[in-house]
Amino acid sequence: MNTTRTETTQEVGIADAARPNIARQEIVRALSSEVSRLTGAGEDDADVHAVRLADLAAHYGAHPFTPLEQTRTRLGLDRAEFGHLLDLFDRIPELSTAVEHGPAGKYWSNTIKPLDATGALDAAVYRKPAFPYSVGLYPGPTCMFRCHFCVRVTGARYEAASVPTGNETLAAIIDEVPTENPKAIYMSGGLEPLTNPGLGELVSHAAGRGFELTVYTNAFSLTEQTLNRQPGLWELGAIRTSLYGLNNDEYETTTGKRGAFERVRKNLQNFLRMRAERQAPIQLGLNHIILPGRADQLTDLVDFIAELNESSPERPLDFVTVREDYSGRDDGRLSESERTELREGLVRFVDYAAERTPGMHIDLGYALESLRRGVDAELLRIRPETMRPTAHPQVAVQIDLLGDVYLYREAGFPELEGATRYIAGRVTPSTSLREVVENFVLENEGVRPRPGDEYFLDGFDQSVTARLNQLEQDIADGWENHRGFLRGR
């Protein structure tokens, strides 16, 4: 599949305005006609508006976090002209569709618009208490791996005695989460969730309230014995398995655990077989990180998945997410040679997966999807100076076995230096999660970021932070009614 050719052989319309390498004259022509219909403008004025509207769609489809005032300056418009342009943009629904289908469209469709629609982002911007949109439960007391990229402190763990009371706390939190969003709760953490012997009971408890939990696991303990001992695990909505290599040597180098690859592969094969036998609706997928210089291994990943599927041909693996490791690059950019190699590898991967694993959902995330479509990939790089002291507990929080409520997803590791500063409070029998969030929002001045604190934010936290910074800048610049460009409601 050649994803960089100019697509002039097929009809294009307004909804294609943010696609790269597209014949823009056709889009401008269609927009000009629509502007004339909506406003009665003459041909020349309609053409001018059409070009600017197409520019807005293309820009925000690739750069979703640009403050409005910066865009106004780039277009050379006065405030009245720019405000009129934004109003006109909102009157043409196909333009919003175009932005969401742009190279960075997943920021809009997966994160920004859903959060906008709930009011969670506005609550964070205006410092209003609100129950978190997303609640992460971190139930693992320990982990059997020691991955070189993990920030876990060697040997750090929760005492076994803390597990029963910790599970009671997590169960109480499950009871507190509103049930409108069945995917509001997930299980992950700094330590391995499946090391908690009561995990199945927690999952069953959540399922009883209508929640479809996803658990993030290394699958080392996803054995037949574990599944038989904890039948509640079958009530999960999905299992996301982090894959740390495609052979024994890679796995041992990454995790420090000999024989881990063979065990994980066997566990996944057995799970697929058992799931098919039980006709269980639970989904199974893989999370895979492309390490620098290993883009050519993506076709090997497809072969690995195809071999797994032989255990259950009628019910194969459901999805795979692929992410690039930018952790060693200060500016988040790929070199030109890496960019070319990775883009070509992604194109081969998608084509090969369609051939060998048809029907499997592939999620390339924010930056890699852009790169596959021929647009330079650059991950967000939130720094201490752009972190928000008040964070965003109205959007997401994470709770460990002690009941400590963490503001960022990568802070929830026991004994991690500096992480306790990002504890908003503790859930106890006398203090609910709602009260912890409300107290932090109304009474806490926030956390003053220090160098290195940016590593407590994962990709989701970085996206939310960038969006909140954008909203606040738009408000400060006098664009409150249009803040954030596209709104979710």
Side-chain angles (χ1 to χ4, degrees), residues 60-64 99-109 366 370 373:
Y60 279 95
H63 307 284
V99 172
E100 292 185 56
H101 290 172
K106 286 185 180 293
Y107 280 114
W108 291 107
S109 59
Y366 305 128
S370 300
R373 295 171 62 178

Side-chain angles (χ1 to χ4, degrees), residues 26-172:
E26 296 181 37
I27 294 168
V28 171
R29 188 180 306 117
L31 274 170
S32 182
S33 176
E34 185 67 4
V35 169
S36 292
R37 186 186 70 82
L38 290 172
T39 69
E43 183 177 344
D44 290 345
D45 285 344
D47 285 348
V48 170
H49 286 310
V51 170
R52 290 169 177 169
L53 291 169
D55 181 279
L56 280 178
H59 180 82
Y60 279 95
H63 307 284
F65 302 105
T66 307
L68 289 172
E69 188 64 14
Q70 182 177 320
T71 301
R72 183 189 71 80
T73 302
R74 180 176 62 82
L75 292 176
L77 302 177
D78 63 32
R79 293 184 65 87
E81 289 173 321
F82 189 56
H84 175 68
L85 187 68
L86 294 175
D87 287 334
L88 187 56
F89 192 101
D90 289 341
R91 295 175 64 187
I92 305 175
E94 294 88 347
L95 285 172
S96 296
T97 301
V99 172
E100 292 185 56
H101 290 172
K106 286 185 180 293
Y107 280 114
W108 291 107
S109 59
N110 291 6
T111 304
I112 296 173
K113 294 195 75 176
L115 290 176
D116 269 334
T118 68
L121 293 174
D122 275 352
V125 166
Y126 294 109
R127 292 299 306 273
K128 295 179 180 179
F131 196 88
Y133 171 79
S134 172
V135 176
L137 305 182
Y138 286 9
T142 187
C143 184
M144 67 290 297
F145 289 169
R146 186 62 190 97
C147 300
H148 62 76
F149 58 81
C150 182
V151 299
R152 172 192 171 204
V153 177
T154 301
R157 57 183 297 164
Y158 296 93
E159 296 296 330
S162 68
V163 174
T165 55
N167 286 349
E168 290 177 7
T169 298
L170 298 182

Side-chain angles (χ1 to χ4, degrees), residues 199-201 203-204 207 213 222-239 267-268 270-284 315:
L199 189 68
E201 293 179 5
V203 171
S204 185
L213 269 66
L222 190 66
T223 62
E224 188 169 351
Q225 293 79 8
T226 297
L227 291 164
N228 290 334
R229 189 169 57 248
Q230 300 196 58
L233 294 175
W234 289 108
E235 298 181 68
L236 282 163
I239 293 177
N267 287 348
L268 294 174
N270 286 339
F271 181 87
L272 286 170
R273 174 183 54 79
M274 294 175 68
R275 182 180 70 168
E277 292 172 352
R278 299 172 66 102
Q279 296 184 330
I282 182 174
Q283 291 198 324
L284 178 67
R315 186 76 194 285

Side-chain angles (χ1 to χ4, degrees), residues 83 116 132 141 172 224 235 252 258 280 288 299 318 339 359 377 383 402 448 466:
D116 269 334
E224 188 169 351
E235 298 181 68
E252 185 172 352
R258 180 171 297 180
H288 181 70
T299 52
D318 297 287
R339 179 184 184 277
R383 303 293 189 184
L402 302 180
R448 185 178 297 277

Side-chain angles (χ1 to χ4, degrees), residues 240-257:
R240 288 184 176 268
T241 296
S242 299
L243 200 64
Y244 298 124
L246 294 171
N247 56 56
N248 284 310
D249 290 341
E250 287 181 356
Y251 242 79
E252 185 172 352
T253 298
T254 300
T255 69
K257 191 82 169 179

